[in-house]
Amino acid sequence: MKRPLWLFFFLFLTLSAQTLTTEANYDESKVGAYTLPDPLLLANGKTVRDASTWKSQRRPEIFRLFESEVYGKSAPKPSKLEFEVTSREAKALGGDATRKEVTIWLTPKQKMHLLVYLPNDTKRPYPVFLGLNFRGNHAVANDPGITMSTAWMREAPGVENHRATEASRGTEAGRFQVKTILRRGYAVATVYYGDIFPDRKDALADSIIPHFYRPGQTTPDPGQWNALAAWAWGLSRVMDYFEKDRDIDAKHVAVWGHSRLGKAALWAGATDQRFAMVISNDSGEGGAALARRNFGETVERINTSFPHWFCGNYKKYNKDVAALPVDQHELLALIAPRPLYVASAEDDQWADPRGEFLSAVGAGPVYSLFHATGLGTDQMPGLHQPIMNTIGYHIRAGKHDVTEYDWEQFLTFADKHWKAR
Ligand code: GCU
């Protein structure tokens, strides 16, 4: 029997509509009921009642689940890391700062470039804000002395054929607020995330990951790292360098990130407890936002658009998020008892601001084990009403971005926790 062609088209369209829930939900009344896993409930059914049981039993359980089911297990610290200071300029930014550039050799063949600004008017060692950037180190400040990145880049202002041009200098300066941070006595450090894993679906071969394959391995196992874990791993390698740099106070390193780099910063804070403070800006799905809340981006959407970000196992939950053995409040709990700040933006509904807030609420019981006040409330604050306990939170007006307002809060939060150092 001959079937008309249009019937096949019709079937094709119906099937593809079913494979991906096309419309994101932005209606609070349609979020639906969900039950979050209890961070204090051990796999053996007992409840954690003190910090030492958390540290020795429950934290490792949760950590391993995130490692095998969400971000993937990363390679250990390389045995042969090499650091090469390639430039030092004591009168950068009109004399306000010392600029250093450091090449970090991750393997004898793979390197990443670190840019550091130190404030000139206070005494070293300096506490530091460390964050990855999207557009190359030369994009974070209007400073012609920064070496331009020659790496592959996503298209952006001043980027041509995936390579940075002079016109891209300073194009990410608004997000970094270098002078403001320096003025408050903190150093600024950054690495281009593409030095670790170029942000494309087909970039695995150019990333750090194959350098750590077992003999004969050609692709990561389903429980092994992918781009997000690789970016987080890169942040830890900067920490390795800081431990050897006498300009930096390695006990006061705040790791921060925006959006996908906020997800990476949270995972860096979870995997590496040397980071004394963690800041997530608009990190959304797979970052601070609860996965089980059906609002904005979903697990299925993120795994479909960005298959190279999370580990293979995470894809199992595309259609069944309730089966995830963890949720993101437990990622935040892995940071306890260190100060943690979660920032949202009102117009960034894709990242689910309420889901980011509720996740911070959900980490609270773990902070309590350490006699620390997490957020100290379960009432979401209005716009521009920051909460600053051991967990901090704000939602500001405006879009998905990092603004002066965000930095004002991060700096106040750091002052509050670190002033007495
Ligand atoms: C996309 C993605 C988000 C991510 C964001 C970003 O919108 O869906 O998950 O946070 O990009 O990194 O800017």
Side-chain angles (χ1 to χ4, degrees), residues 54 69 100 142 160 215 223 293 370 399 417:
W54 165 260
E69 303 302 299
K100 289 208 298 193
N142 285 300
E160 278 169 28
R293 252 178 67 87
F370 293 89
K399 66 180 173 69
H417 288 285

Side-chain angles (χ1 to χ4, degrees), residues 70-71 74 132 197 209 225-235 259-265 267-268 285-287 302 306 308-311 314:
V70 183
Y71 303 101
S74 300
L132 297 170
F197 195 128
I209 290 180
W225 55 340
N226 217 337
L228 280 170
W231 296 327
W233 181 92
L235 288 163
S259 207
R260 67 199 67 183
L261 299 181
K263 308 181 211 294
W267 185 233
E285 188 71 27
I302 206 165
F306 307 101
H308 59 297
W309 284 4
F310 295 86
C311 73
Y314 198 46

Side-chain angles (χ1 to χ4, degrees), residues 346-359:
E346 187 186 23
D347 298 341
D348 187 19
Q349 295 294 309
W350 180 241
D352 186 13
R354 181 171 294 276
E356 295 181 317
F357 172 77
L358 290 173
S359 183

Side-chain angles (χ1 to χ4, degrees), residues 43 74 190 402:
S74 300
T190 188
V402 196

